[in-house]
Amino acid sequence: KLDWTETDDRAVDTARALAMDSVQRVGNGHPGTAMSLAPAAYLLFQKVMRHNPADPHWPGRDRFVLSCGHSSLTLYIQLYLGGWGLELEDLRSLRTWNSKTPGHPEFGHTAGVETTTGPLGQGIGNAVGMAMAARRERGMLDPNAAEGESPFDHQIYVLASDGDIEEGVSSEASSLAGTQQLGNLTLIYDENKISIEDDTDVALSEDVPARYAAYGWHVQVVDWVNGSGAYTEDVPALHEALRKAEAVTDQPSIIVLRTIIAWPAPNAQNTGTAHGSALGEDEVRATKEVMGMNPDLTFDVAPDVLAHTRSAVERGKDAQREWDAAFQHWTTKKSADVALFERMQTRTLPDGWDADLPVWDADLKGTATRKASGAVINAIAPHVPEMWGGSADLAGSNNTTIEGAPSFIPKSRSTDMWKGDPYAGRVLHFGIREHGMGAILNGIAVHGGTRVFGATFLTFSDYMRPSVRLAALMGLPVTYVWTHDSIGLGEDGPTHQPVEHLAALRAIPGLDVVRPADANETAAAWKTVLEHTDRPAGIVLTRQNVRTFPRDAEGFSDTSNVHRGGYVLRDVDGGEPDVVLIGTGSEVQLAVEASDLLAADGVRARVVSMPCREWFDEQEASYRETVIPPTVKARVSVEAGIKLGWREIVGDHGRSVSIETFGASADYERLYTEYGITARAVADAAHDSITAAG
Amino acid sequence: KLDWTETDDRAVDTARALAMDSVQRVGNGHPGTAMSLAPAAYLLFQKVMRHNPADPHWPGRDRFVLSCGHSSLTLYIQLYLGGWGLELEDLRSLRTWNSKTPGHPEFGHTAGVETTTGPLGQGIGNAVGMAMAARRERGMLDPNAAEGESPFDHQIYVLASDGDIEEGVSSEASSLAGTQQLGNLTLIYDENKISIEDDTDVALSEDVPARYAAYGWHVQVVDWVNGSGAYTEDVPALHEALRKAEAVTDQPSIIVLRTIIAWPAPNAQNTGTAHGSALGEDEVRATKEVMGMNPDLTFDVAPDVLAHTRSAVERGKDAQREWDAAFQHWTTKKSADVALFERMQTRTLPDGWDADLPVWDADLKGTATRKASGAVINAIAPHVPEMWGGSADLAGSNNTTIEGAPSFIPKSRSTDMWKGDPYAGRVLHFGIREHGMGAILNGIAVHGGTRVFGATFLTFSDYMRPSVRLAALMGLPVTYVWTHDSIGLGEDGPTHQPVEHLAALRAIPGLDVVRPADANETAAAWKTVLEHTDRPAGIVLTRQNVRTFPRDAEGFSDTSNVHRGGYVLRDVDGGEPDVVLIGTGSEVQLAVEASDLLAADGVRARVVSMPCREWFDEQEASYRETVIPPTVKARVSVEAGIKLGWREIVGDHGRSVSIETFGASADYERLYTEYGITARAVADAAHDSITAAG
């Protein structure tokens, strides 16, 4: 039963006034939705969600995602009213340098912000990921508790706008949420039918409730607009819908909330300008008058209102105390893995986690690095139960399946090939939904301490790129397994052959792009990636076999410097080399062959393997110069992709063996020859560079 | 009434046998869907579609899109049977170097292939674009003809797989197709419930017919699987559904066709391996036996079958002759703009199309290039009726609206702000669906001679990147208007501020990335972009005002070399400069200011504006060296983004003033200062570079 008083009404109106004042002060921003969604946000934060303003990281908390991140005030104002650490001064400094209240909510920047949103649709995907992570964590820690009885049961709430609903990434994630029967997920869709181009009728006519019903969601409509009748902010009806949604445990829930944007502004309501512009002083005054507030005051909060809303702090502490008791009880269970719980809080890997990393013997025929990666995953998985992942319908090609583990799907969705277990499952099936996968991976990562990976072909990293960027922006330890990493995939042709992707991914600040040269480098690469907890990484792997190099033998170095991003794989004897050959991934073997060709010509060529440009750039200059001596100006890079970015390494006298056009459909040996990615080409470039370097 | 004989049945079985044989020969590929969809494809190509194998470019033809491009044999075999120019030899060389039958269908490579497909979901978006383009072309050429009576009325058919349905890009495009009421579009969804991870139950449980009904589509289900009953390839039922779909002129149609993949292979049917692997000799033999064919023969086509299917050539000629008569009749109409029709066939711009391009006077305060772009669009639009475009819900921010033109939407979807006209409309509203927009733009471009543009913020080019890549791969003259091109957008913060996007887009082969420095460069940039018809371009524009430079005055050059991608904007008097400052877009004004600062220090700095790296790279070295003399090693680039790629221009002794991290939320002047993108920083870098260059 909802306890809602006149003070709550005043608090909601205060939220609206603060939204108007904040935007008015900075002169730009998005007041409209923050006004009309104030009752819904207040209801969630003050009456529905279990959370604790004093401990924003409490693992038992419900999660809140503001998918419509442009309406950041919706969240900031609740964080202010609820006592999460924001004060009026922070609202006054909205959208200004160094404030706690940037234009869009930023994860890790403002307490209470669970994920960075703004690029539309992503938040819905994040919420789906959080709901999956919540189920997985419960599955690891407390699988046998009755539904709703575990301290690890909690709810995920997401607020979304018309734009979130239009973006394909939310369609993908929502469809998968239906398959996954995520009963712990509730989406409130603010259907105000206004976006930047005003009335959404010009571009949005679908029946959203019917669409979500088709996905298998539990659907409710709460219509405050009442057709064209009088607008009524029926908070009890919304509260009732939220309770019903929570009671449905085998379906995600959507509540379509029909609102009027910028309500109750007398003139700005229901307009596109109210979406993204300050209302103007006159309209702000008029709206305050409508709400019975003094129009002469700005940032005015009645002390009794604030006292009322800040009681959330005490309620939160009480809730957490109650949870602590349940948690303590859990720790006494025989099945409780407290150490795992604690490790996950800090993302600490267990001792000996890498004890079984495979080692491959030298082999000219070698193995595909994707295959090596599969072996690595399966060598780590038994030690690191918090590691899980899967593919966007390319499991067999990406080699990402944790063998013997169930799939993370409801049991009823088991197939001949995959056995499902909604709790114990560790193998993720995203369907052919790379973008949804990317957003879900981010949600899993922000939710808690599991280590998750997701896979597709490298060329389809484009499909998930907006989510990859957000992972980098948030510094999330998500691992992408991107296989079929060049024209080396062969016959599928140019649509499937990445040529620009390595460069384009390296362009994203904060993303590690790791392209190991052989099986043993693949193991070392995975090890380094998992040891990082502050950033995402893409592990880029071949379809085709590549030579497994000798290690610490025959002049080849071991893999102990892989984590430095670049290292001397095979050096010349004594003194400086005449030329340095730098390769990545499958082209390192060409550099090695080229050095043999050059030796026959009397040219002394050092071979450098550079699996990760970002790791190499992080090294001290003193190390980097031992790998590529500043005095040796003759340098050649070789990578089966565009040369963009290699000039930084090879310099003015260097040469880059590369592919500057799209690929073609043929077997990969033919393609390497036709595109001139050969040992001979590397050797020729070396001669050329030596001449240029004088 | 469907005319279907035993010979047609044999032709369909022949298609299946050829699919198996082709994959078996090369050893890899996708036989399964080509087998089970053979009846549907044959029905379309031989019995339903109006097209002419002898003239694949006949403007009156129906269009066919194979969205599931991996099943390229579905298409190739119909092109062979129908006499489009493929022969058995081409099927024998499937997926090999230089063949007409690459792994995925490639536009411009094989006659009869209307668009490049393979990246899933794109084909559905392309088909939506084709259907929109068909309506627009009819609207320009023959708006008053009765429905179905114009020579410019034709149908768009698209075949799609489970994967196409899962991808968000198809959700976006399909939703918009419903809004647009595209009665000329029919989607056959091959629901075989098998993808690479086998049974799609693990990731796909939605009710697709209900979802498409929610989008406003006309929905039919043709179930050849009959629940779990006997499989019946009921071709007449599919034919009837196609006829019904064609009869519905105010809704797009989906026909959900339930099939068993790899039918009738006795063992491989209904398996994930049949999706993407050769069946093996034994299974091929067994399947041929099931079909009553001689298992000892490969690539065997009975002469009477081929004669029967090749009759498509004569039928096609007849159809085109009939159309020619209707077309001739059309040319006699008073309303017929035959010159426009002919121009569109060759994408020729009319004389004087650029006569009204605006010219801006020098102005220190200047104007935002997005605003200049809006003026340019509106100066061209009256001369070039085939130009149309719009935005993904950012019309006002992108400045892309053709003023006074109706919106391209059904009249019933008009709003207070936008008046709709389904034929005369030129303003496109994509909703917040950048990826769908990208795929639709490609479909519009491949359909015919209109010139289309689509807009969003530069940071959201990531959302549409897979479609941009395909535009580049196909060489389509699509224009992207990407505004809010740097931290200069200010308060919206890092989620909305591109920093890596210029570099990442330049990485795509065949895409021109054009970032004009001021209003007059914006006009020159648009002019050059529209003069290209063989490639896409992105015009990258500021939110904030930038100085309008004097032209051919005060030492500044005119804009006559903008089309060369880089030119000397302001030189020093006499002799070589001490340093060359190279800027793009809004940072060119900083280079100009820096040259003044340097002049005060006695340093002679040339300022180069480089709006398009790709155009500059295309110039002869002799021109490029007049802009950046090889002898002047002191060089500074300045661009408010990562420096990736600039080393190529500035060389080992050069410096790049850049931003290597994500942005932040604040006003843009503050951001430029905090991130060190200032004239002072450019001048300092110039001193530094001069020192380094010795």
Side-chain angles (χ1 to χ4, degrees):
Chain A
K1 183 80 186 86
L2 176 63
D3 172 33
W4 188 275
T5 67
E6 180 265 348
T7 314
D8 294 310
D9 280 332
R10 286 167 59 219
V12 168
D13 282 343
T14 300
R16 292 192 243 257
L18 290 173
M20 292 189 294
D21 287 343
S22 301
V23 174
Q24 199 62 30
R25 182 178 168 90
V26 66
N28 52 69
H30 301 79
T33 304
M35 295 168 68
S36 42
L37 279 188
Y42 182 83
L43 175 67
L44 280 174
F45 268 74
Q46 292 277 336
K47 310 286 179 179
V48 172
M49 290 175 66
R50 186 176 65 164
H51 53 195
N52 179 5
D55 183 1
H57 301 292
W58 167 27
R61 73 194 184 279
D62 292 340
R63 308 298 205 271
F64 174 79
V65 176
L66 184 75
S67 194
C68 43
H70 55 270
S71 187
S72 54
L73 282 167
T74 295
L75 176 51
Y76 295 150
I77 290 168
Q78 294 309 320
L79 295 178
Y80 158 67
L81 291 175
W84 293 72
L86 291 187
E87 297 300 342
L88 285 180
E89 201 42 56
D90 298 303
L91 298 179
R92 282 199 189 94
S93 56
L94 179 75
R95 295 164 70 89
T96 59
W97 181 255
N98 256 343
S99 80
K100 286 188 195 165
T101 49
H104 293 82
E106 295 180 19
F107 172 79
H109 183 82
T110 311
V113 172
E114 299 276 6
T115 180
T116 297
T117 49
L120 290 171
Q122 301 289 336
I124 292 178
N126 294 168
V128 172
M130 291 178 182
M132 290 168 64
R135 194 175 81 200
R136 170 75 186 137
E137 289 180 10
R138 183 197 205 277
M140 282 190 288
L141 298 168
D142 203 15
N144 303 320
E147 197 73 49
E149 297 299 311
S150 168
F152 303 106
D153 283 322
H154 53 264
Q155 301 288 318
I156 316 295
Y157 295 95
V158 51
L159 260 180
S161 62
D162 291 304
D164 293 295
I165 289 294
E166 288 177 327
E167 290 285 5
V169 61
S170 71
S171 296
E172 294 180 13
S174 297
S175 179
L176 192 64
T179 303
Q180 288 283 358
Q181 303 176 0
L182 298 173
N184 54 353
L185 174 64
T186 300
L187 161 60
I188 299 179
Y189 161 38
D190 173 39
E191 189 189 35
N192 64 31
K193 294 182 180 292
I194 289 289
S195 60
I196 293 180
E197 294 187 11
D198 207 64
D199 189 331
T200 55
D201 260 7
V202 294
L204 182 63
S205 60
E206 62 177 60
D207 180 343
V208 175
R211 172 154 72 91
Y212 272 79
Y215 291 144
W217 287 49
H218 176 252
V219 177
Q220 300 175 82
V221 176
V222 176
D223 188 354
W224 289 356
V225 179
N226 297 310
S228 51
Y231 191 63
T232 315
E233 289 182 325
D234 187 346
V235 175
L238 178 59
H239 184 253
E240 176 66 16
L242 285 164
R243 286 295 167 221
K244 279 190 188 159
E246 199 180 325
V248 175
T249 58
D250 59 353
Q251 288 177 295
S253 278
I254 182 171
I255 298 169
V256 178
L257 179 64
R258 302 211 162 115
T259 68
I260 292 177
I261 196 170
W263 182 264
N267 305 298
Q269 66 174 260
N270 207 24
T271 64
T273 45
H275 169 103
S277 304
L279 300 187
E281 263 188 49
D282 290 350
E283 183 73 357
V284 173
R285 290 184 66 90
T287 308
K288 285 179 182 170
E289 277 168 7
V290 168
M291 298 192 296
M293 303 176 82
N294 183 342
D296 294 330
L297 302 179
T298 60
F299 294 99
D300 179 47
V301 181
D304 69 315
V305 165
L306 190 64
H308 180 67
T309 63
R310 288 278 166 103
S311 67
V313 176
E314 276 315 309
R315 287 199 310 277
K317 285 179 183 163
D318 290 346
Q320 189 161 349
R321 263 192 296 271
E322 193 180 313
W323 182 86
D324 283 341
F327 177 78
Q328 286 307 324
H329 174 72
W330 169 76
T331 62
T332 64
K333 286 190 185 180
K334 238 173 74 179
S335 65
D337 190 339
V338 180
L340 172 61
F341 173 81
E342 288 176 352
R343 281 202 300 103
M344 283 172 58
Q345 299 312 303
T346 52
R347 284 204 167 96
T348 309
L349 293 164
D351 291 340
W353 69 276
D354 57 349
D356 297 330
L357 279 180
V359 176
W360 284 264
D361 291 336
D363 180 2
L364 275 172
K365 184 170 163 286
T367 187
T369 52
R370 64 173 167 146
K371 204 175 153 197
S373 170
V376 172
I377 289 171
N378 279 285
I380 296 171
H383 298 281
V384 186
E386 65 268 39
M387 182 185 189
W388 56 323
S391 168
D393 196 52
L394 289 167
S397 301
N398 298 142
N399 296 71
T400 41
T401 301
I402 298 176
E403 303 296 341
S407 290
F408 185 80
I409 46 174
K411 284 189 174 149
S412 62
R413 304 218 67 83
S414 298
T415 65
D416 289 348
M417 191 175 283
W418 309 99
K419 293 301 148 212
D421 186 316
Y423 286 133
R426 295 176 74 179
V427 179
L428 288 163
H429 304 285
F430 294 99
I432 303 162
R433 305 186 184 98
E434 301 82 5
H435 200 180
M437 173 170 73
I440 287 169
L441 294 172
N442 289 351
I444 289 172
V446 293
H447 184 272
T450 63
R451 303 301 299 268
V452 71
F453 58 87
T456 185
F457 290 162
L458 177 59
T459 195
F460 300 131
S461 64
D462 277 354
Y463 272 71
M464 58 193 298
R465 190 172 169 93
S467 302
V468 174
R469 182 178 207 258
L470 281 162
L473 181 57
M474 288 191 261
L476 302 180
V478 169
T479 307
Y480 309 106
V481 179
W482 287 319
T483 70
H484 294 61
D485 68 350
S486 75
I487 57 165
L489 68 85
E491 293 84 353
D492 273 342
T495 55
H496 284 53
Q497 289 163 355
V499 292
E500 76 278 26
H501 296 74
L502 289 166
L505 289 165
R506 288 179 185 134
I508 298 176
L511 173 69
D512 292 342
V513 179
V514 192
R515 188 169 186 246
D518 73 349
N520 290 306
E521 260 195 31
T522 305
W526 261 108
K527 182 170 187 299
T528 307
V529 164
L530 288 176
E531 284 169 348
H532 290 145
T533 58
D534 61 348
R535 63 182 100 169
I539 303 185
V540 174
L541 303 164
T542 67
R543 172 183 187 236
Q544 73 277 23
N545 286 346
V546 294
R547 177 180 179 187
T548 305
F549 299 112
R551 291 291 171 175
D552 211 6
E554 300 174 40
F556 287 85
S557 63
D558 60 25
T559 59
S560 61
N561 278 323
V562 169
H563 73 280
R564 294 181 185 268
Y567 67 100
V568 179
L569 176 66
R570 193 175 71 175
D571 208 359
V572 292
D573 290 333
E576 276 198 345
D578 299 321
V579 62
V580 180
L581 311 179
I582 306 125
T584 80
S586 46
E587 286 69 68
V588 173
Q589 60 189 358
L590 300 182
V592 170
E593 282 177 51
S595 73
D596 292 336
L597 295 176
L598 288 164
D601 299 339
V603 174
R604 302 164 64 257
R606 168 182 294 182
V607 177
V608 169
S609 177
M610 193 167 285
C612 181
R613 292 281 305 268
E614 293 79 18
W615 299 346
F616 188 67
D617 287 347
E618 282 176 6
Q619 302 304 309
E620 299 284 337
S622 57
Y623 173 77
R624 284 187 274 115
E625 292 176 1
T626 65
V627 179
I628 304 177
T631 46
V632 182
K633 299 289 187 196
R635 304 172 192 169
V636 177
S637 71
V638 54
E639 186 169 81
I642 62 171
K643 66 185 173 192
L644 179 66
W646 283 104
R647 182 70 171 271
E648 294 277 347
I649 296 288
V650 301
D652 286 359
H653 305 99
R655 297 292 181 265
S656 290
V657 176
S658 67
I659 301 173
E660 301 299 321
T661 62
F662 291 109
S665 172
D667 67 90
Y668 83 86
E669 293 93 340
R670 179 69 181 264
L671 291 171
Y672 269 84
T673 307
E674 295 285 351
Y675 282 88
I677 310 295
T678 62
R680 185 70 259 166
V682 174
D684 290 347
H687 284 297
D688 200 22
S689 180
I690 289 168
T691 306
Chain B
K1 185 81 188 87
L2 175 62
D3 172 33
W4 188 276
T5 67
E6 178 265 349
T7 314
D8 293 311
D9 281 331
R10 287 168 59 220
V12 167
D13 282 342
T14 300
R16 292 192 242 258
L18 289 172
M20 292 189 293
D21 288 344
S22 301
V23 174
Q24 200 61 32
R25 183 180 169 90
V26 66
N28 53 69
H30 300 78
T33 305
M35 295 167 69
S36 43
L37 279 188
Y42 182 84
L43 175 67
L44 281 174
F45 268 74
Q46 293 277 336
K47 311 285 181 179
V48 172
M49 289 175 66
R50 186 176 66 162
H51 52 195
N52 179 7
D55 183 1
H57 301 291
W58 166 27
R61 73 193 183 280
D62 292 340
R63 307 298 205 272
F64 174 79
V65 175
L66 183 75
S67 194
C68 44
H70 56 270
S71 187
S72 54
L73 282 166
T74 295
L75 176 50
Y76 295 151
I77 290 168
Q78 293 309 320
L79 295 179
Y80 159 67
L81 292 174
W84 293 73
L86 291 187
E87 298 299 342
L88 285 180
E89 200 42 56
D90 299 303
L91 298 180
R92 281 200 190 92
S93 56
L94 178 75
R95 294 165 70 90
T96 61
W97 180 257
N98 255 342
S99 80
K100 286 188 195 163
T101 50
H104 293 83
E106 295 179 19
F107 172 79
H109 182 84
T110 311
V113 172
E114 299 277 7
T115 180
T116 297
T117 51
L120 290 171
Q122 300 289 336
I124 293 178
N126 294 167
V128 172
M130 291 177 182
M132 289 167 65
R135 193 174 81 199
R136 170 76 187 137
E137 289 180 12
R138 183 199 205 276
M140 281 191 289
L141 297 168
D142 202 15
N144 303 320
E147 197 72 48
E149 297 298 311
S150 168
F152 304 105
D153 283 321
H154 54 263
Q155 301 289 317
I156 315 296
Y157 296 95
V158 51
L159 260 180
S161 61
D162 291 303
D164 293 296
I165 289 295
E166 288 176 328
E167 291 284 5
V169 61
S170 73
S171 295
E172 294 180 12
S174 296
S175 179
L176 192 65
T179 304
Q180 288 283 357
Q181 303 175 0
L182 298 173
N184 53 353
L185 173 64
T186 301
L187 161 60
I188 299 178
Y189 161 38
D190 174 38
E191 190 189 36
N192 63 32
K193 293 182 181 293
I194 290 289
S195 59
I196 291 180
E197 294 186 10
D198 208 66
D199 189 330
T200 56
D201 260 7
V202 294
L204 182 63
S205 60
E206 62 177 61
D207 180 342
V208 175
R211 174 156 70 93
Y212 273 79
Y215 291 143
W217 287 49
H218 176 252
V219 179
Q220 301 175 80
V221 177
V222 176
D223 188 354
W224 288 356
V225 179
N226 297 310
S228 52
Y231 191 65
T232 314
E233 289 182 324
D234 188 347
V235 175
L238 179 59
H239 184 252
E240 177 65 17
L242 286 164
R243 285 296 168 223
K244 278 190 189 158
E246 199 180 326
V248 175
T249 58
D250 59 353
Q251 288 178 294
S253 279
I254 182 171
I255 299 169
V256 178
L257 179 63
R258 303 212 162 116
T259 68
I260 293 178
I261 196 170
W263 182 265
N267 304 298
Q269 65 174 260
N270 208 25
T271 65
T273 46
H275 169 102
S277 305
L279 300 188
E281 262 188 50
D282 291 349
E283 184 72 359
V284 173
R285 290 182 66 89
T287 309
K288 285 179 182 168
E289 277 168 6
V290 167
M291 298 192 296
M293 301 176 83
N294 184 341
D296 294 330
L297 302 179
T298 60
F299 295 98
D300 179 49
V301 180
D304 68 315
V305 165
L306 190 65
H308 180 67
T309 63
R310 289 278 166 103
S311 67
V313 176
E314 275 315 308
R315 288 200 309 278
K317 285 180 183 162
D318 289 348
Q320 189 162 348
R321 264 191 297 271
E322 195 181 308
W323 182 87
D324 282 341
F327 176 79
Q328 286 308 323
H329 174 72
W330 168 76
T331 62
T332 63
K333 287 189 183 179
K334 237 173 78 180
S335 64
D337 189 339
V338 180
L340 173 60
F341 173 82
E342 288 176 351
R343 280 201 302 103
M344 283 172 58
Q345 299 311 302
T346 52
R347 282 204 167 97
T348 309
L349 293 163
D351 291 340
W353 70 276
D354 57 350
D356 297 331
L357 278 181
V359 176
W360 284 263
D361 290 336
D363 180 3
L364 275 172
K365 183 168 164 289
T367 187
T369 52
R370 63 174 169 144
K371 203 175 154 199
S373 170
V376 171
I377 289 170
N378 279 287
I380 296 171
H383 298 281
V384 186
E386 65 269 39
M387 182 185 190
W388 57 323
S391 169
D393 196 54
L394 290 167
S397 300
N398 298 142
N399 296 71
T400 41
T401 301
I402 298 175
E403 302 297 340
S407 291
F408 185 80
I409 45 174
K411 284 190 174 148
S412 62
R413 305 217 66 83
S414 298
T415 65
D416 289 348
M417 192 176 283
W418 308 100
K419 293 302 148 213
D421 186 317
Y423 287 134
R426 296 176 73 179
V427 179
L428 287 163
H429 304 285
F430 294 99
I432 304 161
R433 305 185 184 97
E434 300 83 4
H435 201 179
M437 173 170 74
I440 287 169
L441 294 173
N442 289 350
I444 289 172
V446 293
H447 184 272
T450 64
R451 302 301 299 269
V452 72
F453 59 87
T456 185
F457 289 163
L458 178 59
T459 195
F460 300 131
S461 64
D462 277 354
Y463 272 71
M464 57 193 299
R465 190 171 169 93
S467 303
V468 174
R469 182 178 208 254
L470 281 163
L473 181 57
M474 290 192 260
L476 302 179
V478 169
T479 305
Y480 309 107
V481 179
W482 286 319
T483 71
H484 295 60
D485 68 350
S486 74
I487 57 166
L489 67 84
E491 293 83 353
D492 274 341
T495 54
H496 284 53
Q497 289 163 356
V499 292
E500 76 278 25
H501 296 75
L502 289 167
L505 289 166
R506 287 178 187 134
I508 298 177
L511 173 69
D512 292 343
V513 179
V514 192
R515 188 168 186 245
D518 73 348
N520 290 306
E521 261 195 30
T522 304
W526 262 108
K527 182 170 188 298
T528 307
V529 164
L530 288 175
E531 285 169 346
H532 290 147
T533 58
D534 60 349
R535 63 184 97 170
I539 302 185
V540 175
L541 302 165
T542 66
R543 172 183 187 236
Q544 74 276 25
N545 286 346
V546 294
R547 176 180 179 187
T548 305
F549 299 112
R551 291 292 172 175
D552 211 6
E554 301 175 39
F556 289 84
S557 63
D558 60 25
T559 58
S560 61
N561 278 322
V562 170
H563 73 280
R564 294 181 186 267
Y567 66 100
V568 179
L569 174 65
R570 193 175 71 175
D571 208 358
V572 292
D573 290 334
E576 276 197 344
D578 300 321
V579 61
V580 180
L581 311 179
I582 306 126
T584 81
S586 45
E587 286 70 69
V588 174
Q589 60 190 357
L590 301 181
V592 170
E593 282 177 53
S595 73
D596 291 337
L597 295 174
L598 289 164
D601 298 338
V603 174
R604 302 164 64 259
R606 169 184 292 183
V607 177
V608 169
S609 177
M610 193 167 286
C612 181
R613 294 281 303 269
E614 294 78 16
W615 299 346
F616 189 66
D617 287 347
E618 281 175 7
Q619 302 304 309
E620 300 284 337
S622 57
Y623 173 76
R624 283 186 276 115
E625 291 175 1
T626 64
V627 178
I628 304 178
T631 46
V632 181
K633 299 290 187 196
R635 303 171 193 171
V636 177
S637 72
V638 55
E639 185 168 82
I642 62 171
K643 66 185 173 190
L644 179 65
W646 284 104
R647 183 70 172 269
E648 293 277 349
I649 296 287
V650 300
D652 285 0
H653 304 99
R655 297 292 181 266
S656 290
V657 177
S658 67
I659 301 173
E660 301 300 321
T661 61
F662 292 109
S665 173
D667 67 89
Y668 82 88
E669 293 93 340
R670 179 70 181 264
L671 291 172
Y672 268 84
T673 307
E674 295 285 349
Y675 283 88
I677 310 294
T678 62
R680 185 71 260 165
V682 174
D684 290 347
H687 284 297
D688 199 22
S689 181
I690 289 168
T691 306

